[in-house]
Amino acid sequence: MGNCLKCFQSSSSSSAAPTLPTSQSLPNALQNLNANNSCQAATSIGNCYDIVQSNANDRPRETDELLSNRTPLKPANNCDTKRNSFKSLGLLNGSAPTMSDIITTAVKESMEVSPQALNKLFEIYRDPDEEDMILTDGIERLCLDLNYQPDEFAILVLAWCLDASQMCRFTRTEFIDGLHKMRADSIESIRLRLEHTIEMLKVDSEMFKQLYRFTFRFGLEPDQRVLSLDMAIDLWKLVFTVQTPDLFSNWVNFLDKHPNIRRIPKDTWNMYLNFTEQCDIDNYDDTEAWPSLFDDFVEYEKNRALEMATVHDDDNNNDDPLQCHVKAGGDMRHVS
C-alpha cells in the first residue's frame, strides 16, 4: 500500500463519516458475554468469532504507563457506555496486544471458514505483478465491493483487523490470516464483521485504545519512528471518526498555526488520548509528566480565550452610548 494516506483517500477534504448501524443492531450475543471469555451462540445472525489467543504471548506488549483510569471519551451518537458485557474481552490494562485477540474473543462462530474461499478472495484483489500482495488498485476495488470509500473509518478498522503492517498494502498472510480470525470469507461477511466491530469500538474504550495505538504504527514510513505532522493530523481525524474529543478542533488549529511543529513521536501520540480524557484547560497542571507540546497548547488556548474576552469587553463598551460619550469628551479635552 505505499506509505501515504493519499493511497487511502479519494480526497481528505471531501471524506465523510461512514454511515454506521445503530446500537440496536448489535447481536444479542454481545450483551451476554461472561467473565470467563466463554461465548454464547448467536444463531439468529451467525456473526460470532472463534476465540483465538494462540499468539497472544508472541508479540511484545505495550505498557499502559501513559494511559489514565479516568472517564473515557464519550462515544458518538450517545451510545450506551456500559461496559459490563465486554469484560470477557480481556482488554483491561491493554492485555490484548493485537486486534485479532480482541475481535476473535468476542463471540464464537459456528460456521467454518473455507480456506479455498479465502485464497480465492485474495486472488481477486491481488496485484498482477506481486504474487503475495494486494496493493493500491486492489484495495480500492475491495473498498468498492464493500461499499466503502478508501478513506473511511471502516477501512482503517479493516486494516486493524488484518493487522496490516503498512498503508496501501495487504500481504497474503495478513489478508488470509486476518479474515480467518475474523471468521469472514466473503464480501458480505467481511462487511458484517466490520459493522459489528465499529459498534463495539463505540462503546468500549479499551478496545478503541488498541485501534488508536495501531493507527500510529500503521501510518509510519518504513524505518521511521515518528509521524510527519500532516500524516498525524490526517490519522487523528480518521481514528476519531466515531468519538471526537471536545477540544480536537482547537488542537488541530493549534498545530496548523505552529509550522515549527513538524513531527509527532509515539509517546505524544499515545498520551494525547489520555490528555483528551482528562484535560481541563482552566485547571491544567503543567508539573505533571505531559509532553511540552501539551503545555504549549494549553498556554495557547488560555491566551486565545483571554484575547477573545478582551475583544468582547471592548465591543460591549463601544455599544454603550454613555461610554462612547465619555470617551468622545475625553478625546475633545485632550485636543483642546
Side-chain angles (χ1 to χ4, degrees), residues 95-201:
S95 60
T98 66
M99 185 288 319
S100 61
D101 297 306
I102 297 171
I103 292 301
T104 59
T105 305
V107 281
K108 186 174 182 178
E109 173 68 69
S110 60
M111 181 184 67
E112 289 297 326
V113 174
S114 167
Q116 293 80 8
L118 290 175
N119 280 283
K120 183 178 179 180
L121 198 60
F122 178 84
E123 291 298 325
I124 292 174
Y125 302 106
R126 179 179 66 84
D127 189 86
D129 298 325
E130 296 284 348
E131 182 178 353
D132 294 320
M133 299 283 185
I134 297 176
L135 300 180
T136 303
D137 290 343
I139 291 175
E140 289 178 353
R141 288 188 286 111
L142 175 61
C143 293
L144 181 63
D145 291 344
L146 289 170
N147 198 26
Y148 289 119
Q149 294 298 317
D151 59 348
E152 285 192 52
F153 177 71
I155 303 306
L156 174 64
V157 175
L158 176 61
W160 179 50
C161 290
L162 302 184
D163 198 21
S165 58
Q166 67 179 56
M167 287 186 171
C168 304
R169 187 193 77 179
F170 296 144
T171 67
R172 182 185 293 271
T173 299
E174 290 169 351
F175 188 82
I176 293 178
D177 289 357
L179 291 185
H180 187 271
K181 291 170 183 177
M182 288 175 67
R183 313 305 296 168
D185 59 6
S186 66
I187 291 297
E188 293 76 13
S189 58
I190 293 173
R191 183 174 177 87
L192 181 63
R193 301 300 185 268
L194 288 177
E195 290 173 351
H196 294 158
T197 303
I198 290 169
E199 289 297 319
M200 294 171 69
L201 285 164

Side-chain angles (χ1 to χ4, degrees), residues 20 62 109 116 129 148-149 155 162 199 210 234 239 249 285 296-297 300 322:
L20 304 177
E62 293 192 58
E109 173 68 69
Q116 293 80 8
D129 298 325
Y148 289 119
Q149 294 298 317
I155 303 306
L162 302 184
E199 289 297 319
Q210 298 296 328
D234 285 339
V239 76
S249 60
D285 184 358
D296 295 340
F297 168 66
Y300 172 82
L322 179 59

Side-chain angles (χ1 to χ4, degrees), residues 76 78 330:
N78 299 317

Side-chain angles (χ1 to χ4, degrees), residues 31-286:
Q31 304 301 324
N32 296 308
L33 295 173
N34 60 46
N36 296 318
N37 286 341
S38 61
C39 304
Q40 301 294 332
T43 57
S44 60
I45 52 178
N47 63 328
C48 308
Y49 311 115
D50 278 336
I51 298 177
V52 179
Q53 294 182 333
S54 59
N55 65 342
N57 297 320
D58 296 336
R59 295 173 178 266
R61 297 184 179 182
E62 293 192 58
T63 67
D64 257 357
E65 297 173 350
L66 306 180
L67 300 174
S68 74
N69 294 320
R70 302 196 185 187
T71 304
L73 295 173
K74 295 181 179 179
N77 302 326
N78 299 317
C79 293
D80 182 9
T81 57
K82 293 181 180 179
R83 292 162 48 190
N84 293 337
S85 61
F86 294 94
K87 288 182 179 178
S88 65
L89 296 180
L91 301 178
L92 297 180
N93 298 320
S95 60
T98 66
M99 185 288 319
S100 61
D101 297 306
I102 297 171
I103 292 301
T104 59
T105 305
V107 281
K108 186 174 182 178
E109 173 68 69
S110 60
M111 181 184 67
E112 289 297 326
V113 174
S114 167
Q116 293 80 8
L118 290 175
N119 280 283
K120 183 178 179 180
L121 198 60
F122 178 84
E123 291 298 325
I124 292 174
Y125 302 106
R126 179 179 66 84
D127 189 86
D129 298 325
E130 296 284 348
E131 182 178 353
D132 294 320
M133 299 283 185
I134 297 176
L135 300 180
T136 303
D137 290 343
I139 291 175
E140 289 178 353
R141 288 188 286 111
L142 175 61
C143 293
L144 181 63
D145 291 344
L146 289 170
N147 198 26
Y148 289 119
Q149 294 298 317
D151 59 348
E152 285 192 52
F153 177 71
I155 303 306
L156 174 64
V157 175
L158 176 61
W160 179 50
C161 290
L162 302 184
D163 198 21
S165 58
Q166 67 179 56
M167 287 186 171
C168 304
R169 187 193 77 179
F170 296 144
T171 67
R172 182 185 293 271
T173 299
E174 290 169 351
F175 188 82
I176 293 178
D177 289 357
L179 291 185
H180 187 271
K181 291 170 183 177
M182 288 175 67
R183 313 305 296 168
D185 59 6
S186 66
I187 291 297
E188 293 76 13
S189 58
I190 293 173
R191 183 174 177 87
L192 181 63
R193 301 300 185 268
L194 288 177
E195 290 173 351
H196 294 158
T197 303
I198 290 169
E199 289 297 319
M200 294 171 69
L201 285 164
K202 288 182 184 179
V203 299
D204 193 280
S205 63
E206 295 293 337
M207 187 176 183
F208 179 80
K209 180 180 67 180
Q210 298 296 328
L211 171 64
Y212 180 83
R213 288 185 167 188
F214 163 84
T215 303
F216 178 88
R217 172 174 66 81
F218 186 57
L220 289 175
E221 297 280 351
D223 302 322
Q224 296 295 315
R225 302 181 64 181
V226 297
L227 290 175
S228 68
L229 180 61
D230 289 342
M231 177 62 76
I233 291 176
D234 285 339
L235 290 175
W236 265 319
K237 290 178 179 178
L238 183 60
V239 76
F240 284 130
T241 295
V242 296
Q243 47 181 7
T244 304
D246 292 338
L247 291 174
F248 181 63
S249 60
N250 303 53
W251 171 250
V252 172
N253 180 65
F254 163 74
L255 295 175
D256 285 338
K257 289 184 178 297
H258 291 78
N260 59 306
I261 303 171
R262 299 180 180 179
R263 295 176 179 85
I264 300 297
K266 181 179 180 180
D267 283 354
T268 300
W269 175 276
N270 285 347
M271 292 186 74
Y272 180 70
L273 183 60
N274 187 38
F275 178 75
T276 62
E277 293 171 358
Q278 58 179 284
C279 177
D280 182 346
I281 297 295
D282 294 330
N283 299 304
Y284 178 79
D285 184 358
D286 59 7

